[in-house]
Amino acid sequence: QDIRRGASLSGDGRREGESMLPSFAEWIQETPGGGRCAWQCSAGFYEEGGGCRAWPTPAILVVDPMLRTDETAGSDPARFSVRLSAPPTEAVVLSLASNHLQLEAPSVSEVTFPPADWATPRKVTVAAVTDEITEGTHAGAVTLSTASEDQAYAALSPLSIDIAIAESFCPPFPATPTRRVVSCNRTLGGSCVVQCISGFTPGAA
């Protein structure tokens, strides 16, 4: 069996009496003297379109994102899915944490991508913290960090995902010398009851 590696070939990769070989392929002549030939992609490459392509650089991919929510109780949480960009040599554990001043804990705190199931996206949801602090539209963040015996994934820097949060409380409705506030529901869509001071009518300054 004659095995030659095509990674170092130049031009179209031809040798005398041979067909063109894909770059980065293992070329196998199975019988001496010009018998049947076959090739397969080397480690780190995959077959596509009759050639060998390098696997993408290891990374954490965020897919199907809906990165916004609001502070109203029961509102839809922000959501996204995560997966790996390339197959790992060992299992990759992805840990998720949030800024608890703005966001509740993510729906999952940890997901694992084994080599046999590295491309299946894992769904994550995260809700906003409901408070009575008037902040306007603001943001929280979910941080993703990796741990693995695969050094390429272990070396990845933490990934931060920003979540936009809509305010659920309106600014205080102020009293003035001409009116007083009887009651006020400061949640979005709520209403306030005001009463004119004696001697003033609605619409007065």
Side-chain angles (χ1 to χ4, degrees):
Q1 186 181 50
D2 178 18
I3 299 179
R4 311 175 194 177
R5 296 186 179 275
S8 62
L9 297 180
S10 60
D12 64 4
R14 291 179 185 270
R15 295 187 181 91
E16 185 177 354
E18 297 175 354
S19 299
M20 185 174 70
L21 302 177
S23 296
F24 304 102
E26 291 181 347
W27 180 84
I28 303 172
Q29 181 176 301
E30 295 188 346
T31 59
R36 183 169 64 90
C37 298
W39 61 268
Q40 63 186 20
C41 295
S42 301
F45 297 83
Y46 66 98
E47 182 182 350
E48 182 179 89
C52 293
R53 295 180 179 274
W55 283 109
T57 301
I60 303 301
L61 302 181
V62 178
V63 296
D64 299 325
M66 198 284 284
L67 304 180
R68 62 182 183 277
T69 185
D70 66 65
E71 294 180 348
T72 306
S75 63
D76 290 337
R79 65 178 185 272
F80 58 91
S81 295
V82 291
R83 70 173 183 85
L84 306 185
S85 63
T89 58
E90 301 290 342
V92 177
V93 178
L94 184 64
S95 298
L96 300 93
S98 63
N99 176 350
H100 293 292
L101 294 176
Q102 305 292 357
L103 295 169
E104 302 287 355
S107 56
V108 291
S109 60
E110 186 177 281
V111 293
T112 300
F113 296 92
D117 187 24
W118 61 271
T120 302
R122 273 58 161 183
K123 185 176 180 180
V124 181
T125 61
V126 60
V129 171
T130 300
D131 57 33
E132 296 188 14
I133 302 172
T134 304
E135 303 167 279
T137 299
H138 51 292
V142 177
T143 302
L144 287 62
S145 55
T146 57
S148 178
E149 292 299 317
D150 182 322
Q151 294 305 306
Y153 278 103
L156 293 178
S157 298
L159 174 66
S160 182
I161 301 175
D162 291 333
I163 308 294
I165 304 170
E167 182 62 79
S168 64
F169 283 87
C170 301
F173 192 81
T176 71
T178 64
R179 69 179 183 228
R180 68 184 185 89
V181 179
V182 178
S183 63
C184 196
N185 178 357
R186 291 177 52 208
T187 58
L188 292 178
S191 60
C192 296
V193 176
V194 297
Q195 185 178 61
C196 295
I197 300 298
S198 178
F200 294 88
T201 59

